[in-house]
Amino acid sequence: MAETLFSNKIVLSSDEIWRKCLVNIKRNVSQMSYNTWFLPIKPINVNNSTIKVLLPSQFFWEWIDEHYNSLIHSTIKSVIGPDANLTYVIAEETEDEQIPETIQQPKKVEKTEQIKKPEFETFINPRYTFDNFIKGEGNQLARAAAGAVGDNPGGTSFNPLFVYGGVGLGKTHLIQAIGNRIIQKFPSKRAIYLSSDIFTIEFVEAIQSNKVNEFSNFYKNMDILILDDIQFLIGKEKTQDLFFHIFNTLHQSGKQIILTSDKPPKDLKGLNERLISRFQWGLSADIQPPDFETRIAILKRKASDFGLSLPTEIFEYIASHIVSNIRELEGCLIKLLANASLSSREIDFNLVKKTVKEIATTRQVNVTIEYITSIVCKFLDVGEDKIRDKTRKKEVVLARQIAMFLSKELTRSSLKTIGLHFGGRDHSTVIHGCASIESSINTDNSMKELVDKIKEKIELDSN
Ligand code: ADP
Ligand code: MG
């Protein structure tokens, strides 16, 4: 066996170890990937065989975990030894939902001194702020109202504040920005964010475990309730009833309610009339697709956040082809960065055209996690209930992981939501599942064919 640094008793510092790792990594990836994904990683310390490194952002962590997991692990094993382990710390974080539990967050310690940490998870993502929300004609009213509510929750006539508009236009960003403003300005107020489908899932769990009262009291005790995508409550009578009571309790005591939906309240067919009328008590503000100038401003801001500098013509090309969804604008930049770094190509016009086209193709698909799961289960002949329970049987694990992978690829759900759909698994299990399928696809042709076939079937049926 090759001698390792540790078996040799030459104890190196984390800097030295990481430098050795970088030498190996550099040999295995393009210069661009190296610069983009590896140079920004900073070693923190090394303890036994575990090296801890600092990553600049959540996005980095997800990217590296998905694409370079095996390279990193084989590298540290070759440098440190067979027991080598790597843990990440994310610099800018927070109580973000997507950070692995094992991670300790250095800055958080400083933060907790100023801001009293609530005894519950707020699910408010600190990355969504008013500062990084670009103003434009399409979001003027919603932005202004959100600002007012953030400065004076429960104290304006905008209660509830109801923000509506199409997919990817910034509803979630805006309402979470309100949450962040409130946490900062009024640390003693209890604010919580959640999506209506999570609210429904939690409610069903509460029924099953006989904890409906606790569930309902928990939300009735909030000072600010931010409920996203209220259209998910359509057809869920019991959840609507419960929400109606929570709404009343909060509203009567001057607590702030913030809601979003893909449509204005009056168009929410299938939602109880008494809820719809309450939604109209406050202010409904829509978000319209951004105009050309706003799209350019958003692209420039996001590109600079990613450390990407691009010629104006490229921004203009993207902004004139992706017109009605800000998530797609952002997705386009991420894809560009990814395509360029994986194939060590410069970001040129051809790559931009190809990337914009890819985004237009995936746009066709609009499917749910349940639907994906049902197709995967049919294909692999696995019971749908098995996928949600604890079974570790090989074929069930495979089906579960493929369904997670496709849910991540084809729906806009967060890792947390995907995990909840698969028997309440946490986001790191989802990441692991997706990474494992991704690496099989890359190394095993029959796996690639299988996943492609399932995907084709899903796309075919959903159009
Ligand atoms: P929605 O909830 O309406 O589907 P999101 O709030 O999730 O949309 O927005 C999608 C992505 O676009 C997010 O990453 C968000 O940060 C970004 N985004 C949306 N609107 C803006 C804006 N005005 N300025 C900057 N980023 C934005
Ligand atoms: Mg949203």
Side-chain angles (χ1 to χ4, degrees):
M1 196 179 73
E3 278 188 329
T4 66
L5 297 169
F6 281 88
S7 64
N8 250 347
K9 300 259 182 294
I10 306 168
V11 179
L12 297 181
S13 72
S14 55
D15 278 348
E16 290 162 323
I17 292 178
W18 188 244
R19 214 172 304 131
K20 281 178 184 287
C21 291
L22 284 180
V23 172
N24 182 54
I25 289 168
K26 198 169 182 178
R27 273 193 232 118
N28 286 286
V29 301
S30 70
Q31 184 67 36
M32 172 132 178
S33 305
Y34 180 77
N35 291 342
T36 310
W37 305 113
F38 295 98
L39 275 187
I41 300 178
K42 301 278 174 273
I44 299 174
N45 60 36
V46 60
N47 200 348
N48 295 324
S49 303
T50 300
I51 180 160
K52 189 189 266 185
V53 297
L54 182 74
L55 301 180
S57 72
Q58 168 72 23
F59 170 65
F60 243 84
W61 171 65
E62 283 189 15
W63 183 265
I64 287 173
D65 201 57
E66 282 188 36
H67 297 272
Y68 299 109
N69 193 311
S70 57
L71 172 64
I72 289 202
H73 280 96
S74 63
T75 301
I76 58 166
K77 280 195 167 63
S78 75
V79 174
I80 299 179
D83 300 330
N85 244 317
L86 182 110
T87 57
Y88 307 105
V89 175
I90 293 169
E92 62 179 28
E93 304 288 2
T94 76
E95 11 318 77
D96 191 289
E97 52 173 59
Q98 298 174 354
I99 303 167
E101 295 73 33
T102 51
I103 282 176
Q104 282 151 23
Q105 300 153 25
K107 283 202 179 156
K108 201 163 157 184
V109 178
E110 294 156 31
K111 268 190 199 156
T112 46
E113 283 165 12
Q114 307 149 11
I115 299 174
K116 194 171 145 271
K117 191 160 164 29
E119 66 278 24
F120 56 91
E121 199 167 347
T122 67
F123 293 110
I124 295 169
N125 187 330
R127 279 177 301 161
Y128 293 131
T129 62
F130 285 121
D131 279 349
N132 60 19
F133 186 84
I134 308 285
K135 287 184 210 166
E137 222 174 298
N139 61 37
Q140 222 163 17
L141 174 65
R143 165 69 185 78
V149 169
D151 289 335
N152 189 6
T156 68
S157 54
F158 309 152
N159 200 12
L161 173 63
F162 191 102
V163 178
Y164 66 92
V167 169
L169 294 183
K171 301 183 295 296
T172 299
H173 186 139
L174 193 59
I175 60 172
Q176 294 224 17
I178 305 178
N180 279 310
R181 167 81 52 94
I182 292 174
I183 290 177
Q184 201 184 32
K185 279 193 135 178
F186 311 96
S188 63
K189 287 206 188 289
R190 297 160 61 87
I192 195 162
Y193 163 90
L194 78 169
S195 148
S196 302
D197 64 343
I198 302 230
F199 182 79
T200 307
I201 292 174
E202 281 190 353
F203 176 49
V204 172
E205 279 170 6
I207 296 177
Q208 284 163 353
S209 53
N210 247 332
K211 289 193 172 147
V212 174
N213 273 343
E214 273 160 276
F215 175 80
S216 153
N217 288 337
F218 176 76
Y219 290 105
K220 284 178 179 170
N221 260 322
M222 289 296 151
D223 296 305
I224 293 96
L225 174 61
I226 308 175
L227 197 58
D228 207 354
D229 293 315
I230 200 89
Q231 73 274 9
F232 290 146
L233 297 188
I234 288 177
K236 297 175 178 137
E237 302 296 333
K238 274 191 158 177
T239 317
Q240 288 182 30
D241 281 349
L242 182 89
F243 178 60
F244 178 75
H245 293 296
I246 294 173
F247 184 103
N248 288 341
T249 304
L250 292 176
H251 199 272
Q252 276 157 18
S253 44
K255 304 296 169 61
Q256 180 71 47
I257 300 155
I258 302 162
L259 306 165
T260 74
S261 161
D262 59 348
K263 305 177 196 65
K266 64 175 176 33
D267 293 346
L268 286 167
K269 307 259 172 311
L271 207 68
N272 199 312
E273 279 299 326
R274 56 185 191 167
L275 272 178
I276 294 181
S277 81
R278 272 164 179 74
F279 293 168
Q280 291 165 331
W281 282 354
L283 176 80
S284 302
D286 67 335
I287 301 193
Q288 292 292 329
D291 55 25
F292 184 74
E293 284 71 28
T294 312
R295 297 201 293 279
I296 298 272
I298 290 172
L299 281 169
K300 287 193 167 159
R301 168 70 192 247
K302 305 262 170 193
S304 98
D305 289 350
F306 291 141
L308 196 65
S309 78
L310 294 171
T312 308
E313 305 87 77
I314 289 192
F315 286 126
E316 288 176 355
Y317 182 85
I318 300 174
S320 52
H321 285 80
I322 300 179
V323 296
S324 58
N325 185 328
I326 296 170
R327 189 180 289 115
E328 284 182 2
L329 287 176
E330 189 175 59
C332 184
L333 291 178
I334 293 177
K335 263 202 155 147
L336 269 180
L337 203 61
N339 283 340
S341 73
L342 287 179
S343 57
S344 64
R345 274 171 75 175
E346 287 290 307
I347 297 185
D348 58 21
F349 239 102
N350 284 335
L351 188 62
V352 174
K353 283 186 185 154
K354 176 173 164 273
T355 309
V356 167
K357 208 164 152 204
E358 274 171 24
I359 288 182
T361 335
T362 49
R363 188 184 298 148
Q364 315 292 334
V365 188
N366 187 12
V367 293
T368 61
I369 299 175
E370 283 89 356
Y371 183 70
I372 292 172
T373 308
S374 74
I375 302 274
V376 171
C377 287
K378 268 192 211 129
F379 232 92
L380 299 178
D381 198 18
V382 167
E384 281 188 43
D385 46 334
K386 295 252 169 19
I387 251 189
R388 290 184 200 98
D389 70 30
K390 300 247 176 306
T391 312
R392 285 180 168 277
K393 271 181 137 170
K394 217 169 144 199
E395 65 273 16
V396 178
V397 173
L398 180 68
R400 188 182 294 135
Q401 292 187 333
I402 292 181
M404 286 175 171
F405 173 81
L406 290 174
S407 298
K408 178 155 173 273
E409 198 171 301
L410 302 177
T411 74
R412 301 183 193 283
S413 310
S414 70
L415 298 169
K416 170 149 185 114
T417 306
I418 296 176
L420 277 172
H421 280 270
F422 292 94
R425 289 177 158 82
D426 71 18
H427 64 274
S428 54
T429 312
V430 180
I431 292 194
H432 170 78
C434 295
S436 137
I437 297 300
E438 182 142 347
S439 82
S440 316
I441 288 178
N442 289 334
T443 51
D444 173 356
N445 247 336
S446 61
M447 181 63 123
K448 182 171 169 9
E449 270 170 29
L450 173 70
V451 173
D452 281 349
K453 257 196 208 135
I454 300 178
K455 202 164 140 186
E456 211 173 283
K457 173 99 181 110
I458 293 169
E459 293 177 355
L460 208 76
D461 289 3
S462 65
N463 281 326

